Amino acid sequence: MSAIPLYEAALDDVPPRVLYELLKLRVDVFVVEQECAYPELDGRDLEPGALLLWAQDPAGRVAGTLRLLREPGDREHARIGRVATAPEARGRGVAADLMRRALEVAGQAEVVLDAQAHLEGWYGRFGFVVDGPPFDEDGIPHVPMRRAAPRAL
């Protein structure tokens, strides 16, 4: 586990400077580093129930982020996406902490995500299993993954 504080908020409640850093990190990782030209600002961050989660380092810089989506009116399913970690924060458990927090927030919901194929094992650590055939997204092999809803005790 990292010792970096985690935060979560709907888009309208994210401080403007933090929101800028979150979006910049996503563009830096997915569009620039991974060389995928795609519409990063896809409108899903604005949906009701969408939450942005992030970690900030001691200097206040965004070290990692992800988003948690809920289909309108559907409390039984959630989607995790846009998982990104700043290069200087990689290997420190930031993304794992964000994943654990997102799963806590998702509660009893079944959670799905589209993982880059080389990260299948990493997501497997959180209970995700491949749930369909591999596919190509922006030139990167992906696999759909699902984590069943936790069983009530």
Side-chain angles (χ1 to χ4, degrees), residues 78-81 99 110-121 123-124 127-137 140-148:
R79 172 173 288 278
I80 291 176
M99 283 295 297
E110 177 178 80
V111 182
V112 297
L113 56 81
D114 293 330
Q116 292 185 7
H118 72 278
L119 294 172
E120 175 185 331
Y123 286 109
F128 286 88
V129 296
V130 174
D131 187 45
F135 63 95
D136 181 277
E137 186 171 317
I140 298 174
H142 281 71
V143 290
M145 299 189 80
R146 179 174 307 278
R147 180 181 177 267

Side-chain angles (χ1 to χ4, degrees), residues 12 17 24 55 63 87 94 101 106 124 127:
D12 289 344
R17 186 170 295 278
K24 183 174 185 328
V94 173
R101 181 62 190 144

Side-chain angles (χ1 to χ4, degrees), residues 17-35:
R17 186 170 295 278
V18 172
L19 179 59
Y20 176 87
E21 287 187 41
L22 294 176
L23 297 174
K24 183 174 185 328
L25 175 58
R26 288 172 20 179
V27 168
D28 286 350
V29 170
F30 301 120
V31 178
V32 178
E33 181 181 327
Q34 296 181 359
E35 299 178 353

Side-chain angles (χ1 to χ4, degrees), residues 4 16-36 38 40-41 45 52-57 60-67 81-90 94-95 98 116:
I4 294 180
R17 186 170 295 278
V18 172
L19 179 59
Y20 176 87
E21 287 187 41
L22 294 176
L23 297 174
K24 183 174 185 328
L25 175 58
R26 288 172 20 179
V27 168
D28 286 350
V29 170
F30 301 120
V31 178
V32 178
E33 181 181 327
Q34 296 181 359
E35 299 178 353
C36 297
Y38 74 103
E40 166 53 36
L41 300 177
D45 297 304
L52 299 176
L53 285 77
W54 70 94
Q56 286 180 263
D57 69 17
R61 296 178 301 253
V62 170
T65 186
L66 63 74
R67 73 178 176 191
R82 302 298 204 262
V83 181
T85 306
E88 61 276 7
R90 291 179 187 159
V94 173
L98 286 166
Q116 292 185 7

